[in-house]
Amino acid sequence: MTKVWALAIGVRFGEDINMVSYVTIHGSNSNSINLGFDSKSNSALAGQIAAQISAGILAGTIVTEFEGSGTAPTIPAGATGAMVQNTSALELLPSHYSIDLVTNPGLAVVIGNGAENETILSDVNTDLTFLAASGSGTVVAGGGDSKVSVGGSGNWLIYTGGGNDVIAAIGAVNATIGAGKGDNAIWLGSGHDLIISTGTDTVVGGSGSETVDATHAGRVLVEGNHSNLLFVGGAGGATILGGTGSDTYFGSVTHSGKQLIEGGSAGNNYLLAGDGSATLIGGGNNDQLIAYGTHNQLLIAGSGNETLFGSFSTGADTLQAGSGNDLLMGSLGSDVYVGGSGASTVVSGFGKQEFNFINHEAGGSMLVTGIYDSASINIDLSGYGDNAVDAALASQTVHNGSLTIGLTDGTKVTFQDVTSLSKSNFV
């Protein structure tokens, strides 16, 4: 066995044509451990870790061994073993070895031993697979296509490179995950997780909570399942299927991709669209759905009591009531309000206002406030039959300065401070 005592560590950024950054640990026997990373952020993190390893080796608390020379030696009491995996495609970390520095090109599989603070660093030319059923620690992949699966209840820091990666932080693991620029799949368990997305990612929640920072991401798909989600969006598109938890979504002011955001059925969802094409769908009680920006957006209430808010928008938005007691607040543009089966209140916006009712899909009541000119009212009756307009006009009554009409499916619509409608008010 060859012991390597690290004397120095050098980090060189972007020195080859592929812009690979390097971390090098030099040994006293002229043996060097060179690890390349395809992103500067991963290289910087690996450099910090390598500096700590280097200091430990110099102090005698870390012993580095190259695999392939026989059985790993027993580590002295009080010391930690660091394996250098330079030829083997499979490494089962021996007892008392909590560090693996993987330089082997191509496929390299590392199976953790359940230790606390395991540390895995792999080279840009390595397709890393790391499996740990328990323990805690840090995994920083240099590149390639990585597969990382950690379980138990420990804390893990996992950063992968620019390949297409699969990451599973299951059980009660608390994980910070920085997936790279590729197409990545991330599975989560019952812990508290932070996902930093920079690629095109699919995130499948479990029963815990997750924060997804997609500020610099491509398109992101999140399946919430039973988890609670906090999502911060970037310019890329986002699809969120809320599941049974509660979700908070902040879109980006520079959004260019499509947003389809569905809150969880537990309610208390806060969904704020970014500027761009957006559909926000409520999931439960006490949801807040908020349109934003200059594009036309669609806000759909769920089954609870919800607020649909368009006042931050200058687009032509559609606000659709549901089966609860909903508040619909119009935008600075021209809006469409769609009646539901519950009791909704509309605070109309400042542009042309259209009120859409669909036969057998409405049936509730709608109170409309904020109408300053009855000529701005446009009513669209879909599926009610040829005589629907005449029947609605014949039903109108005025009470305390407000006009109410009735539709054949039982829908009641009251326009506050309006005393008369005519056929010109119907589309």
Side-chain angles (χ1 to χ4, degrees), residues 36-403:
F37 295 85
D38 64 7
S39 75
K40 289 186 177 182
S41 59
N42 281 19
S43 179
L45 177 58
Q48 295 174 9
I49 296 169
Q52 295 171 2
I53 295 173
S54 179
I57 294 173
L58 193 62
T61 58
I62 297 177
V63 178
T64 304
E65 299 287 346
F66 281 79
E67 53 84 20
S69 302
T71 303
T74 302
I75 300 300
T80 298
M83 187 66 66
V84 181
Q85 187 175 341
N86 59 337
T87 60
S88 175
L90 174 63
E91 183 66 55
L92 283 73
L93 277 181
S95 178
H96 303 298
Y97 281 75
S98 62
I99 300 171
D100 197 358
L101 308 174
V102 188
T103 63
N104 183 56
L107 177 64
V109 179
V110 182
I111 300 179
N113 57 21
E116 298 297 319
N117 299 317
E118 288 188 85
T119 301
I120 312 297
L121 303 180
S122 67
D123 184 65
V124 65
N125 296 311
T126 299
D127 293 323
L128 174 68
T129 295
F130 176 70
L131 307 173
S134 60
S136 63
T138 300
V139 179
V140 184
D145 297 330
S146 301
K147 297 178 176 62
V148 179
S149 177
V150 294
S153 59
N155 298 322
W156 286 91
L157 180 66
I158 303 169
Y159 277 77
T160 56
N164 301 324
D165 306 316
V166 178
I167 302 171
I170 53 180
V173 164
N174 300 316
T176 297
I177 299 172
K181 293 288 188 180
D183 296 332
N184 308 301
I186 302 168
W187 277 270
L188 305 173
S190 61
H192 303 283
D193 305 302
L194 168 63
I195 314 301
I196 302 170
S197 176
T198 56
T200 302
D201 296 335
T202 297
V203 180
V204 180
S207 59
S209 62
E210 63 268 357
T211 297
V212 178
D213 180 357
T215 305
H216 302 291
R219 185 157 184 84
V220 180
L221 166 64
V222 180
E223 297 182 16
N225 287 325
H226 305 296
S227 65
N228 297 322
L229 169 69
L230 169 59
F231 187 100
V232 180
T239 299
I240 296 175
L241 307 177
T244 60
S246 295
D247 305 308
T248 299
Y249 172 81
F250 293 100
S252 170
V253 296
T254 58
H255 231 295
S256 58
K258 293 183 178 180
Q259 306 161 74
L260 173 59
I261 314 299
E262 180 179 346
S265 62
N268 295 307
N269 300 291
Y270 184 90
L271 310 180
L272 172 60
D275 193 11
S277 174
T279 298
L280 307 182
I281 305 173
N285 201 38
N286 296 323
D287 292 346
Q288 299 181 65
L289 282 58
I290 304 172
Y292 179 86
T294 59
H295 292 75
N296 303 339
Q297 299 181 339
L298 172 61
L299 279 56
I300 303 175
S303 59
N305 302 329
E306 308 198 0
T307 299
L308 281 56
F309 191 82
S311 299
F312 293 153
S313 170
T314 57
D317 300 320
T318 298
L319 285 64
Q320 181 173 326
S323 59
N325 297 325
D326 301 323
L327 174 62
L328 284 58
M329 304 184 69
S331 72
L332 298 176
S334 299
D335 300 312
V336 176
Y337 307 95
V338 181
S341 59
S344 58
T345 298
V346 173
V347 179
S348 64
F350 294 94
K352 180 180 178 181
Q353 307 295 295
E354 180 176 312
F355 302 89
N356 191 304
F357 301 93
I358 303 171
N359 192 21
H360 303 306
E361 294 185 18
S365 64
M366 178 182 287
L367 170 63
V368 181
T369 67
I371 296 291
Y372 297 101
D373 181 3
S374 62
S376 69
I377 298 174
N378 294 271
I379 302 172
D380 185 0
L381 303 180
S382 300
Y384 284 90
D386 295 337
N387 297 320
V389 173
D390 290 337
L393 288 172
S395 72
Q396 60 184 320
T397 60
V398 177
H399 181 69
N400 292 332
S402 297
L403 179 145

Side-chain angles (χ1 to χ4, degrees), residues 10-15 20-24 26 34 43:
V11 181
R12 309 188 299 276
F13 290 110
E15 291 191 346
V20 173
S21 303
Y22 290 94
V23 169
T24 302
H26 300 288
N34 298 307
S43 179

